[in-house]
Amino acid sequence: MSAPTFEHRHYKAIAAIIARIGDEDDRAEQARYFAAELRGTNPNYNERRFLDAAMGLPSNSRDR
């Protein structure tokens, strides 16, 4: 069975949930975990962009 294909809206929703984690160390740990797990879910997946969003640092106006 192949991995599901995620879209920008999926990454954005996951990152927004992670960004609400209050403890910065916990947030960073979860962000890294999800970033690694999401590799391969879409050929356009940008791990750095996901990590920035998960840490509350939108990379561009599309992520705001």
Side-chain angles (χ1 to χ4, degrees):
M1 179 182 253
S2 63
T5 299
F6 281 63
E7 298 174 358
H8 175 80
R9 63 190 169 108
H10 299 117
Y11 302 125
K12 185 175 181 178
I14 295 167
I17 293 166
I18 295 169
R20 291 194 303 260
I21 296 173
D23 182 273
E24 189 172 346
D25 291 336
D26 289 342
R27 184 170 57 245
E29 181 179 352
Q30 292 302 314
R32 286 190 301 271
Y33 172 79
F34 273 89
E37 290 295 317
L38 291 169
R39 287 183 200 134
T41 58
N42 183 312
N44 295 318
Y45 172 65
N46 183 318
E47 188 169 332
R48 179 77 260 154
R49 185 174 174 190
F50 176 82
L51 287 168
D52 286 347
M55 294 306 292
L57 306 168
S59 60
N60 63 33
S61 60
R62 183 177 179 192
D63 294 335
R64 294 180 201 273

